[in-house]
Amino acid sequence: MGVLSLKQDIEERALRTGEWVAEHRATVRAAAKEFGVSKSTVHKDGGVIIRIEFQRAEKMRIPAVFR
């Protein structure tokens, strides 16, 4: 498993977890139990989601000519 694949796996888990939390209006504790990870991992995944969304927003703001 390469570094890129690992990064993609983390991002996919983060998005799945975030969608589940939003859909179920769940707590971090409930999400950790549902996905079999620690509460710290759920919190970290929340940071990953924020980074992904920030990067998407930045891409939209920068004209295509400069990318």
Side-chain angles (χ1 to χ4, degrees):
M1 176 181 284
V3 174
L4 184 58
S5 178
L6 182 59
K7 180 180 176 186
Q8 289 171 334
D9 290 345
I10 292 169
E11 289 177 353
E12 288 174 17
R13 182 191 67 218
L15 292 171
R16 278 195 319 271
T17 303
E19 289 170 356
W20 187 87
V21 167
E23 183 178 310
H24 292 87
R25 297 181 52 98
T27 63
V28 168
R29 182 174 294 198
K33 185 176 181 179
E34 175 71 19
F35 288 91
V37 297
S38 69
K39 292 185 295 182
S40 296
T41 299
V42 175
H43 280 289
K44 180 186 69 73
D45 286 352
V48 170
I49 293 169
I50 291 168
R51 180 181 50 78
I52 291 168
E53 292 303 320
F54 180 77
Q55 289 172 344
R56 285 181 185 164
E58 284 295 304
K59 285 180 182 177
M60 292 177 71
R61 285 186 6 183
I62 300 170
V65 181
F66 299 110
R67 287 190 226 149

